[in-house]
Amino acid sequence: GLFLIIPCTDEIRTVDLRVRSFDVPPQEILTRDSVTVAVDAVVFYRIFNPVMSVINVENANLSTQLLAQTTLRNILGTKDLTQLLAEREDIATNVQRILDRATDEWGVKVERIELKDVRLPVQMQRSMAAEAEATRDAKAKIIAAEGEQKASRSLKEASDVMVESPFTLQLRYLQTLSTISAEKNSTILFPQ
């Protein structure tokens, strides 16, 4: 249509109503369990009411970006590292809901938030790897100890059987000699 603009008093602002996105720069966050992580995200949003986006806030795009950064830091600061790694989808949904509620009065609808990357410090990665290795070693030792325990029970049962019959001990002795002579060609002396 035709618009009448009075110079020096009227101002025109064009507002893009398409879905837009921006990267939230990596945020250094201290989790609840005192681990420093760097988290970056992507926010998808659109302006659903151009009048509100011009009247209620000076720059809706910049304000949404800044609010996304601070909200992301605040929400992630209340989570443990394990929660942060395991519940990324739930955290993103929670941040999206909070952002959407806060930006409604600006005419902005936050469509979606994706947590792109959670980076741990190198030292933390090393310590987690060492912890996992120690856990594997402990499990291996437990399994070996259980095997030794089962073997000792079997030997005890075998010795109980051998005590009942004196000939079984002699047969076991001859079997052991047969095994030794098959492996190495040597002369073996045994008492009678």
Side-chain angles (χ1 to χ4, degrees):
L2 183 64
F3 293 99
L4 180 61
I5 299 170
I6 302 170
C8 299
T9 58
D10 289 341
E11 180 182 332
I12 293 181
R13 285 196 194 169
T14 56
V15 177
D16 189 358
L17 299 179
R18 296 178 294 177
V19 174
R20 300 180 70 187
S21 66
F22 64 88
D23 285 330
V24 177
Q27 303 292 308
E28 291 286 329
I29 297 165
L30 185 65
T31 61
R32 190 171 63 185
D33 53 352
S34 299
V35 176
T36 303
V37 293
V39 178
D40 52 349
V42 179
V43 177
F44 298 92
Y45 69 100
R46 67 181 171 81
I47 295 177
F48 70 88
N49 188 333
V51 174
M52 288 173 65
S53 72
V54 171
I55 293 174
N56 292 346
V57 65
E58 183 179 350
N59 185 341
N61 297 325
L62 180 63
S63 298
T64 303
Q65 289 178 14
L66 295 174
L67 185 62
Q69 288 178 15
T70 56
T71 304
L72 187 66
R73 267 193 304 247
N74 290 341
I75 296 296
L76 294 180
T78 63
K79 305 291 182 188
D80 291 334
L81 178 62
T82 53
Q83 289 175 318
L84 179 61
L85 295 174
E87 302 170 3
R88 287 167 65 161
E89 298 285 329
D90 295 337
I91 293 170
T93 304
N94 190 20
V95 172
Q96 184 257 330
R97 191 171 43 252
I98 291 170
L99 269 177
D100 193 34
R101 224 176 306 131
T103 58
D104 270 348
E105 63 189 42
W106 300 340
V108 175
K109 167 77 174 142
V110 177
E111 301 272 330
R112 182 179 183 143
I113 293 181
E114 290 289 329
L115 296 180
K116 286 196 311 188
D117 194 16
V118 177
R119 287 187 303 273
L120 297 171
V122 176
Q123 185 178 5
M124 177 61 74
Q125 291 175 5
R126 286 187 191 133
S127 65
M128 288 174 77
E131 181 181 355
E133 185 177 354
T135 303
R136 285 191 302 271
D137 288 345
K139 286 180 182 177
K141 287 179 182 179
I142 289 171
I143 291 170
E146 287 173 354
E148 289 290 327
Q149 192 176 28
K150 287 178 183 176
S152 67
R153 283 189 190 127
S154 295
L155 286 173
K156 168 94 171 73
E157 289 172 10
S159 69
D160 290 342
V161 169
M162 287 182 185
V163 166
E164 291 174 9
S165 174
F167 293 112
T168 56
L169 185 59
Q170 185 68 26
L171 287 174
R172 181 66 184 139
Y173 182 65
L174 291 173
Q175 184 182 13
T176 304
L177 287 175
S178 173
T179 305
I180 292 172
S181 66
E183 291 177 4
K184 298 179 182 178
N185 292 333
S186 58
T187 304
I188 301 171
L189 299 173
F190 60 92
Q192 291 184 356

